[in-house]
């Protein structure tokens, strides 16, 4: 079928046009976006670009979008590759657009590889290699606040970090560091980022560092990253000695850099809502908090074999201590650890019992024992209960003396939940939020102190 199409006032008769479509937020427009549009246009003759609305970004869990929709549309137009710009406002729109505009090719960056294969029923799907290096100069000229993130560590949590970071606007995952080249290279190739085995070279390529290496290496990496002028987001447990935590937060203050401990529960909307309800007085004065989190691991797993730094409490203690520190504070009068150890001396199951002036608490965790993962907050007028996985808080109830009276609360918990801490970390760096209220440095220091006490008693 020969067709004629109007494109920017030109007639293109006698030729079958290839129509291409792509979608994106295009926030803080940068060269990754520019190169994507450039190559998308080169795939055909007519390029339609769908720019996401704030509502759609919220619905799909894209956080921290800075530019308005109009600004983002303008920036796409200014790049000069789009023949038509539409808005993307809901899930499922892609299929309808492909039909409506008679699209031949859908394209998107390779960070979405596989995510849009379902569109192959309607048109050709092309994943264009994502742009690895977003040069800071270009961004600085446009005073964009894109932060280039470097990851230290290539383990399981680091694997979960990248897809989460891609749903937070204003960050670009630039590279990964691991002293073992094969680990660094394998990880980098999988995620299409740069691999580094030289720490100096790594630091020169990034603005902020996410530390997801083994617990015992955190202290040195945080110190060196701060001394290289990098903001730091470190996986829990941040450090295992109170004095180290105090020293690192002081160093961060001196360097005017942000240091965050990454306990995803602390930053997720559901847990934040739960703390708000608990603090509202609806259950009266809080007198007892019971937090339990167990996760059976293989006997030969790192968590159950790593000498000294393995074991349940170092792995899960940050989660179960969090609600207690949040609700009762850090000034407990006494703490006691009851532990079931494996043959190698690592704890398979630990119950920390704490006494406060106004209440009591237990923090129970286990990698070798399975129990009911529940958060229970008991007060003088009622209680709050959140079932597992309360550490990814999405639902909780408030019960009172009258069993028929139950308040129910729910809140979305998206993906692996790391996007929330990344978004808050970014907001702190960009000065959009001054207070670190979701997890304060005092709470991180207290957590390090509890870890230290536990390790002393376990060794003792
Ligand atoms: N992109 C890229 N290289 C980067 C960053 C982004 O090639 N360093 C590409 C993305 O893969 C995407 C486009 O640029 O194809 C726009 O990226 P975003 O604005 O981050 O949009 P995104 O959240 O990826 O949404 O329906 C929306 C689509 O799912 C894409």
């Amino acid at each position: 079928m020969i067709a004629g199409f109007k494109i920017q006032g030109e007639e293109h008769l006698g030729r079958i046009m290839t129509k291409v479509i792509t979608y994106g937020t295009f926030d803080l427009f940068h060269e990754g976006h520019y190169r994507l549009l450039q190559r998308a246009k080169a795939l055909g003759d007519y390029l339609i670009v769908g720019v996401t609305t704030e509502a759609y970004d919220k619905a799909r869990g894209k956080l921290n979008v800075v530019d308005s929709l109009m600004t983002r549309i303008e920036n796409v137009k200014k790049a000069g590759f789009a023949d038509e710009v539409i808005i993307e406002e809901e899930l499922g729109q892609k299929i309808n657009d492909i039909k409506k505009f008679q699209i031949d090719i859908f394209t998107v960056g390779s960070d979405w590889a596989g995510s849009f294969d379902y569109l192959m029923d309607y048109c050709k799907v092309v994943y264009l290699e994502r742009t690895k290096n977003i040069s800071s100069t270009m961004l600085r000229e446009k005073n964009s606040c894109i932060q280039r993130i470097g990851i230290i560590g290539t383990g399981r949590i680091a694997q979960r970090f990248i897809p989460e970071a891609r749903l937070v606007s204003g960050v670009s995952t630039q590279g990964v560091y691991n002293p073992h080249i094969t680990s660094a290279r394998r990880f980098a190739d999988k995620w299409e980022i740069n691999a580094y085995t030289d720490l100096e070279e790594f630091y020169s390529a990034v603005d902020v560092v996410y530390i997801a290496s083994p617990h015992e290496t955190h202290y040195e990496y945080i110190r060196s990253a701060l001394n290289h002028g990098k903001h730091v987001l470190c996986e829990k447990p941040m450090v295992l000695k109170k004095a180290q935590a105090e020293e690192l937060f002081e160093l961060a203050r001196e360097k005017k850099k942000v240091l965050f401990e990454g306990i995803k529960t602390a930053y997720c909307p559901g847990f934040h809502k739960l703390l708000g309800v608990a603090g509202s007085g609806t259950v009266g004065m809080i007198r007892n908090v019971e937090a339990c989190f167990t996760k059976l691991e293989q006997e030969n797993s790192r968590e159950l074999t790593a000498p000294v730094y393995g074991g349940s409490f170092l792995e899960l203690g940050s989660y179960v201590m969090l609600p207690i520190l949040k609700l009762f504070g850090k000034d407990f009068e006494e703490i006691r650890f009851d532990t079931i150890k494996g043959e190698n001396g690592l704890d398979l199951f630990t119950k920390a019992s704490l006494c406060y002036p106004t209440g009591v608490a237990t923090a129970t965790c286990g990698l070798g024992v399975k129990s009911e993962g529940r958060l229970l907050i008991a007060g003088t007028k009622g209680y709050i209960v959140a079932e597992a996985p309360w550490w990814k808080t999405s639902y909780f109830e408030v019960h009172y003396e009258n069993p028929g009276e139950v308040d129910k609360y729910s809140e979305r918990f998206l993906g692996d939940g790391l996007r929330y801490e990344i978004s808050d970390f970014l907001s702190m760096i960009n000065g959009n939020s001054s207070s670190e209220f979701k997890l304060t440095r005092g709470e991180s220091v207290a957590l390090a102190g509890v870890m230290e006490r536990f390790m002393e008693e376990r060794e003792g």
Side-chain angles (χ1 to χ4, degrees):
M1 189 256 300
I2 302 297
F5 297 88
K6 275 274 187 198
I7 295 181
Q8 294 156 346
E10 289 174 34
E11 290 287 323
H12 285 253
L13 294 176
R15 193 152 69 80
I16 300 293
M17 300 295 299
T18 299
K19 297 180 79 176
V20 182
I21 198 165
T22 189
Y23 298 81
T25 304
F26 298 103
D27 190 40
L28 301 170
F29 198 83
H30 56 65
E31 62 198 284
H33 299 143
Y34 183 90
R35 291 186 66 250
L36 187 285
L37 294 174
Q38 185 177 41
R39 289 171 295 156
K41 177 61 189 254
L43 291 174
D45 308 288
Y46 189 88
L47 173 63
I48 299 174
V49 180
V51 180
T52 55
T53 61
E54 283 90 345
Y56 178 50
D57 278 334
K58 185 171 181 344
R60 72 187 179 114
K62 177 105 181 199
L63 304 180
N64 220 48
V65 176
V66 177
D67 292 335
S68 70
L69 172 59
M70 286 322 296
T71 301
R72 293 183 284 119
I73 287 173
E74 278 314 306
N75 287 337
V76 166
K77 285 179 176 173
K78 271 189 257 177
F81 300 108
D83 297 290
E84 186 176 349
V85 177
I86 61 174
I87 60 170
E88 182 180 28
E89 47 193 335
E90 59 192 6
L91 197 61
Q93 182 180 322
K94 292 181 172 79
I95 295 176
N96 296 331
D97 287 348
I98 287 166
K99 293 177 188 171
K100 182 167 72 175
F101 296 111
Q102 297 177 303
I103 297 299
D104 303 293
I105 300 172
F106 165 86
T107 189
V108 74
S110 57
D111 37 331
W112 293 96
S115 304
F116 297 106
D117 291 357
Y118 68 91
L119 295 175
M120 289 174 181
D121 294 341
Y122 308 95
C123 67
K124 190 176 173 195
V125 174
V126 174
Y127 296 108
L128 296 168
E129 187 182 357
R130 71 181 293 275
T131 300
K132 280 186 182 177
N133 298 304
I134 307 289
S135 62
S136 56
T137 46
M138 174 185 175
L139 304 175
R140 293 286 176 272
E141 279 148 28
K142 295 165 52 180
N143 68 23
S144 301
C145 47
I146 295 263
Q147 299 290 344
R148 300 168 301 158
I149 285 190
I151 301 173
I152 295 182
T154 54
R156 205 171 39 197
I157 190 75
Q159 298 279 354
R160 288 203 288 256
F161 181 86
I162 293 198
E164 286 289 305
R166 283 182 179 155
L167 280 163
V168 178
S169 208
V171 289
S172 169
T173 306
Q174 201 83 357
V176 64
Y177 167 82
N178 187 313
H180 308 296
I181 181 67
T182 45
S183 303
R185 171 101 30 242
R186 187 183 315 121
F187 187 97
D189 291 348
K190 173 179 179 183
W191 296 105
E192 296 181 302
I193 57 176
N194 301 308
Y196 297 92
T197 52
D198 177 290
L199 211 44
E200 295 301 324
E201 189 189 341
F202 169 73
Y203 285 139
S204 66
V206 301
D207 305 305
V208 304
V209 173
Y210 171 66
I211 297 173
S213 52
H215 307 332
E216 64 273 21
T217 64
H218 289 177
Y219 171 73
E220 285 303 336
Y221 281 135
I222 296 171
R223 209 154 64 94
S224 81
L226 289 172
N227 282 325
H228 282 79
K230 308 302 168 185
H231 300 288
V232 176
L233 170 62
C234 182
E235 262 308 306
K236 49 90 196 147
M238 189 176 84
V239 287
L240 303 169
K241 290 186 185 310
K242 183 174 182 181
Q244 286 183 344
E246 288 166 337
E247 174 203 335
L248 293 173
F249 279 115
E250 179 52 28
L251 179 60
R253 192 189 59 76
E254 283 167 20
K255 300 287 182 182
K256 296 185 173 47
K257 294 298 167 191
V258 174
L259 170 58
F260 256 31
E261 181 171 17
I263 307 177
K264 59 172 177 272
T265 311
Y267 302 94
C268 82
F271 185 72
H272 199 49
K273 181 182 277 188
L274 183 148
L275 291 179
V277 169
S280 71
T282 191
V283 294
M285 301 298 290
I286 294 170
R287 293 288 182 252
N288 175 40
V289 176
E290 296 172 14
C292 179
F293 181 1
T294 65
K295 180 173 71 175
L296 291 181
E297 288 288 358
Q298 297 295 325
E299 278 187 25
N300 62 353
S301 64
R302 170 193 62 81
E303 292 83 353
L304 284 178
T305 55
V308 179
Y309 299 101
S312 303
F313 197 74
L314 265 57
E315 193 64 28
L316 303 176
S318 308
Y319 289 116
V320 290
M321 280 299 305
L322 178 69
I324 296 169
L325 290 173
K326 279 292 181 190
L327 293 165
F328 280 140
K330 48 191 185 297
D331 300 322
F332 47 82
E333 290 167 336
E334 61 176 278
I335 186 169
R336 196 184 82 221
F337 298 99
D338 296 305
T339 291
I340 296 169
K341 293 182 182 177
E343 288 169 16
N344 59 10
L346 295 177
D347 58 311
L348 298 171
F349 186 77
T350 293
K351 177 177 289 193
S353 304
L354 299 92
C355 288
Y356 284 85
T358 59
V360 293
T362 52
T364 306
C365 56
L367 298 174
V369 174
K370 193 63 199 166
S371 178
E372 179 66 44
R374 173 182 297 170
L375 174 57
L376 195 57
I377 301 167
T380 53
K381 292 182 184 170
Y383 66 88
I384 298 170
V385 58
E387 299 298 344
W390 60 266
W391 48 91
K392 299 181 176 181
T393 321
S394 59
Y395 178 79
F396 61 92
E397 296 180 349
V398 182
H399 293 251
Y400 304 92
E401 183 49 39
N402 168 7
E405 188 187 354
V406 179
D407 300 332
K408 299 180 179 181
Y409 297 86
S410 63
E411 181 65 61
R412 290 192 316 164
F413 183 95
L414 294 164
D416 273 315
L418 298 179
R419 67 188 75 177
Y420 302 114
E421 65 192 49
I422 300 167
S423 178
D424 282 334
F425 180 51
L426 216 61
S427 297
M428 185 70 87
I429 291 168
N430 293 328
N432 301 336
S433 70
S434 55
S435 69
E436 61 195 4
F437 57 97
K438 291 186 183 164
L439 184 64
T440 68
R441 68 191 64 187
E443 286 158 349
S444 284
V445 167
L447 274 170
V450 169
M451 292 293 168
E452 185 172 8
R453 288 278 296 271
F454 169 75
M455 291 184 77
E456 282 167 357
E457 292 206 9
R458 188 187 67 182
E459 302 324 310

